[in-house]
Amino acid sequence: MDVNKCRVIELPKIADPRGNLTFIEANDHIPFDIQRVYYLYDVPGGAERGGHAHQALHQLIIAMSGSFDVVLDDGEQKRRVHLARSYYGLYVCPMIWRELDNFSSGSVCMVLASNKYDEADYFRNYNDFMAARLDK
Ligand code: TYD
């Protein structure tokens, strides 16, 4: 099941009384090269993001501040993952429908991505996503 290929990765954490430090190095801590970083912020209470899948994009999703949930769906199985620590990253492989909700106030969701933005890589319609999965 593809949803089980998605996993929470514990990132290195240098604990320090002056403030903790976490770092991510390509291929060392995550299974892809980073081509893009984007982040969601100022998310109003009750809002939902995502609601799409990617054909080829690999991503790592991190709650840099606050918390939110990611619902992963491979067409057969669903998993809800709560992210609340900036030293955990959720790896999301290609062909996973994802929805993000339950954002806490002031939360920041950072995403590391394996490619630049490409609208052609998106499935924005759930039925199209399901049809593509069955074709595989
Ligand atoms: P989308 O990926 O649908 O957002 P989310 O999954 O977080 O809900 O993108 C929302 C809009 O932003 C859409 O018009 C495409 C644009 N966008 C970019 O221009 N570059 C990017 O890197 C991303 C992620 C989105």
Side-chain angles (χ1 to χ4, degrees):
M1 217 73 77
D2 280 2
V3 88
N4 295 324
K5 291 188 198 157
C6 302
R7 63 186 192 278
V8 173
I9 296 174
E10 183 163 0
L11 300 164
K13 176 179 169 188
I14 312 290
D16 191 309
R18 300 170 302 160
N20 300 329
L21 181 153
T22 285
F23 56 93
I24 302 166
E25 295 184 350
N27 290 317
D28 228 354
H29 306 112
I30 58 173
F32 58 85
D33 268 330
I34 301 159
Q35 293 288 331
R36 173 169 53 118
V37 177
Y38 67 91
Y39 31 95
L40 301 170
Y41 52 96
D42 293 344
V43 179
E48 292 176 7
R49 301 289 314 217
H52 56 73
H54 289 281
Q55 292 180 44
L57 194 71
H58 300 254
Q59 294 181 307
L60 189 83
I61 303 177
I62 303 173
M64 295 303 281
S65 183
S67 64
F68 51 84
D69 290 355
V70 185
V71 180
L72 303 170
D73 176 358
D74 63 15
E76 289 180 43
Q77 206 179 322
K78 277 191 187 188
R79 259 174 75 196
R80 178 176 284 271
V81 180
H82 182 64
L83 293 177
R85 298 279 175 206
S86 39
Y87 54 90
Y88 285 128
L90 174 64
Y91 167 65
V92 182
C93 63
M95 294 303 285
I96 297 288
W97 190 268
R98 87 289 310 277
E99 281 162 15
L100 286 78
D101 62 15
N102 201 20
F103 285 90
S104 69
S105 150
S107 57
V108 179
C109 167
M110 183 174 77
V111 183
L112 311 183
S114 65
N115 272 306
K116 292 189 177 169
Y117 172 72
D118 176 12
E119 186 60 35
D121 185 63
Y122 280 75
F123 287 104
R124 293 212 181 260
N125 178 285
Y126 190 78
N127 292 335
D128 293 346
F129 161 69
M130 286 300 286
R133 287 203 63 86
L134 294 172
D135 280 350
K136 273 179 36 172

